[in-house]
Amino acid sequence: MELFRLEHKKLWRKNTTRICVLLCFVYCVVFGSFLMYQWGTFGSRKDNMDGRNFDGYENIRKCQAYFSKYGELTDETLQEWVRDYQCLTAALKKEKETQGSENRETLQTYQNAGWETVNSMLRTLYPELEQEEMRYVMIMSCYVDPDKLTGLYERREKALHTFLDVSGQTGGEREYLLQINEKVQEPFSWKWVEGWSNVLGNLVSGLGIVIALFLAIVLSGLFAGEWHDNTSPLILTAKNGWRKLAVAKILTGLSFALELFAVVAVGTVVLQLVYLGTEGWDMPVQTIKMIAIAPMNMLQAEIYEFAFTMLGAVGFAGVVMLFSACCKNHVLALLLSLAVVFVPTAIHNNVPVRLAKALDLLPLVGSGADIFRTNTFHLFGHYIWSPYLLIWVPVLLGILSLPPAVRGWARRMRV
């Protein structure tokens, strides 16, 4: 334990470590979270529609207040939303014709109505009501007849079946996915969705790739740095020797991965609570993507994505330490570590589907957002929904990398 404490302190005393942690925090929490909430994504639109105002906190409260009257997603509430939206559209048009410009309050209400999510819902569930000639002129919510928006949940089932057919997911795979979907509870709670959509679709699911970059920079020199510092003779003659030191370094690397994740996760969650609060945590993820099969609400989905990132960071730390132990040059260890994440990401769309799925199992290569998809793996005659494997395989790969890391460093220390 004393050796671990000394190694841990040694790692955190490095300027590289401190700079990387600071940059990771600034990028993920300050730019990726605070500025997104307060300005870039949720700030109100400027009068000339050119950019956003720095008023995200107030604007989010207005968006949440707009949806407070609907409660549940049913045929009736969907129809009510469309009628309200069409009334807002008509009011803006009338104000522009009579006054020459829209009233700012009416315009803000119109922009806070959550039309992006609802329009996606309408296009998915009621494709026959979309007018092709209007697709690039105005959104579907502006002209669709509200009275024709019926059978919402039956249409969701039909849309899911159609999607599986188009994706070629038939037979046993189809039955397996539909069994997962049967656990989805209806009717859906319905509040303001856009905040959770950004959290699950962008913010949390995008943390892994950033954390991977800084983990690779810090941990690639954990073992290889001893060669750079020419400390191998000292280690071989020291009281504890290379084996105990290797264990201490591995524990240091794993603890640093958890600490870096904690710094980012805590900052992200605190800002989320400040800006979004807890409203809407019980909404199912289907309010973001109607054909999703995950039987999860927003809180469960966020916990999954954070767990995916944390376990992926631990797994990636193990892989980085393996490269660091096997390479005398810490720059080479850094390049190999970065290649594990960024090469598969770069070629993902240009390789066969099976290879792409296999690459997703590498630490921090896949995405926690797979809970919105119907991807599966076929192993030993059984289908497994991808989120089940994506959360455990990366950390197992990292753990399996640790014994070879110790042996690899031992061989080099004895040379």
Side-chain angles (χ1 to χ4, degrees):
M1 184 59 67
E2 179 65 18
L3 196 57
F4 162 72
R5 187 183 66 82
L6 292 174
E7 281 294 321
H8 187 266
K9 183 183 292 186
K10 175 183 174 182
L11 182 68
W12 275 97
R13 279 179 175 175
K14 292 181 179 180
N15 290 332
T16 303
T17 301
R18 296 177 179 180
I19 292 173
C20 283
V21 172
L22 177 61
L23 289 177
C24 189
F25 180 84
V26 170
Y27 186 87
C28 295
V29 179
V30 178
F31 291 108
S33 190
F34 170 70
L35 290 180
M36 179 195 75
Y37 287 128
Q38 186 64 22
W39 176 47
T41 301
F42 295 114
S44 62
R45 290 283 186 181
K46 292 183 177 180
D47 292 339
N48 58 3
M49 303 299 287
D50 183 20
R52 294 181 180 271
N53 296 303
F54 199 75
D55 61 352
Y57 184 86
E58 296 81 3
N59 195 51
I60 287 173
R61 295 294 172 272
K62 293 177 182 178
C63 293
Q64 292 174 331
Y66 184 87
F67 271 85
S68 61
K69 59 182 177 180
Y70 298 115
E72 288 185 344
L73 180 58
T74 62
D75 292 351
E76 292 73 23
T77 54
L78 180 59
Q79 293 170 3
E80 182 183 359
W81 184 95
V82 172
R83 291 191 183 97
D84 291 342
Y85 188 79
Q86 291 179 352
C87 288
L88 284 171
T89 304
L92 283 174
K93 183 178 180 181
K94 184 176 180 180
E95 288 173 358
K96 192 169 184 178
E97 291 175 351
T98 57
Q99 304 174 12
S101 63
E102 300 94 339
N103 179 275
R104 178 171 176 78
E105 184 176 346
T106 307
L107 182 61
Q108 285 295 318
T109 304
Y110 174 83
Q111 293 169 354
N112 294 339
W115 59 268
E116 296 96 335
T117 300
V118 179
N119 195 63
S120 175
M121 188 186 305
L122 295 178
R123 294 184 66 180
T124 299
L125 304 183
Y126 304 92
E128 76 281 1
L129 299 181
E130 185 175 19
Q131 300 175 15
E132 187 65 30
E133 66 277 9
M134 300 294 290
R135 173 171 291 191
Y136 303 105
V137 178
M138 64 176 64
I139 64 174
M140 192 174 172
S141 305
C142 291
Y143 61 79
V144 71
D145 184 356
D147 294 328
K148 294 183 179 180
L149 303 178
T150 58
L152 185 146
Y153 291 102
E154 293 80 3
R155 284 177 170 271
R156 176 186 172 272
E157 291 294 324
K158 181 180 178 181
L160 176 58
H161 283 255
T162 301
F163 175 79
L164 294 177
D165 289 338
V166 172
S167 302
Q169 296 175 296
T170 58
E173 183 179 15
R174 177 194 184 96
E175 293 178 7
Y176 171 72
L177 293 171
L178 292 178
Q179 286 176 1
I180 298 176
N181 179 68
E182 288 176 1
K183 299 177 183 178
V184 177
Q185 297 182 355
E186 302 171 355
F188 302 157
S189 172
W190 196 30
K191 298 180 178 66
W192 183 58
V193 177
E194 275 73 6
W196 284 101
S197 178
N198 273 274
V199 168
L200 298 179
N202 299 314
L203 201 157
V204 181
S205 61
L207 291 179
I209 196 74
V210 181
I211 290 176
L213 172 62
F214 294 106
L215 277 179
I217 295 173
V218 173
L219 298 183
S220 59
L222 193 64
F223 288 98
E226 300 293 351
W227 294 99
H228 181 270
D229 296 336
N230 197 27
T231 59
S232 55
L234 178 61
I235 293 172
L236 289 173
T237 57
K239 174 183 177 181
N240 293 302
W242 61 265
R243 186 181 294 276
K244 290 184 178 180
L245 182 59
V247 174
K249 284 181 175 293
I250 285 173
L251 293 177
T252 298
L254 295 179
S255 65
F256 176 77
L258 292 174
E259 289 159 358
L260 181 62
F261 167 79
V263 167
V264 174
V266 170
T268 300
V269 170
V270 168
L271 286 173
Q272 179 184 336
L273 290 174
V274 170
Y275 281 91
L276 299 182
T278 59
E279 182 174 309
W281 69 267
D282 58 338
M283 285 189 297
V285 296
Q286 284 71 26
T287 53
I288 296 177
K289 186 177 182 180
M290 291 301 292
I291 59 174
I293 63 170
M296 297 180 178
N297 59 35
M298 299 297 185
L299 179 59
Q300 292 168 333
E302 184 173 12
I303 291 173
Y304 173 88
E305 290 195 359
F306 271 125
F308 169 87
T309 304
M310 181 185 70
L311 294 176
V314 171
F316 184 69
V319 173
V320 176
M321 287 188 285
L322 173 61
F323 289 137
S324 180
C326 295
C327 300
K328 287 188 176 182
N329 189 321
H330 70 277
V331 176
L332 177 59
L334 172 61
L335 294 176
L336 290 174
S337 301
L338 294 177
V340 169
V341 173
F342 292 98
V343 171
T345 302
I347 66 174
H348 192 275
N349 295 326
N350 299 308
V351 297
V353 175
R354 290 186 178 181
L355 178 57
K357 287 183 178 181
L359 292 174
D360 283 342
L361 296 175
L362 295 174
L364 298 180
V365 173
S367 172
D370 252 42
I371 55 175
F372 292 99
R373 306 180 183 119
T374 59
N375 296 333
T376 62
F377 291 88
H378 193 233
L379 301 174
F380 308 109
H382 297 281
Y383 288 100
I384 304 177
W385 189 36
S386 63
Y388 295 150
L389 288 181
L390 290 180
I391 195 171
W392 294 116
V393 172
V395 69
L396 289 177
L397 291 175
I399 293 173
L400 292 174
S401 299
L402 299 180
V406 174
R407 291 194 296 268
W409 197 49
R411 285 195 299 267
R412 291 194 171 278
M413 292 300 293
R414 289 169 178 170
V415 174

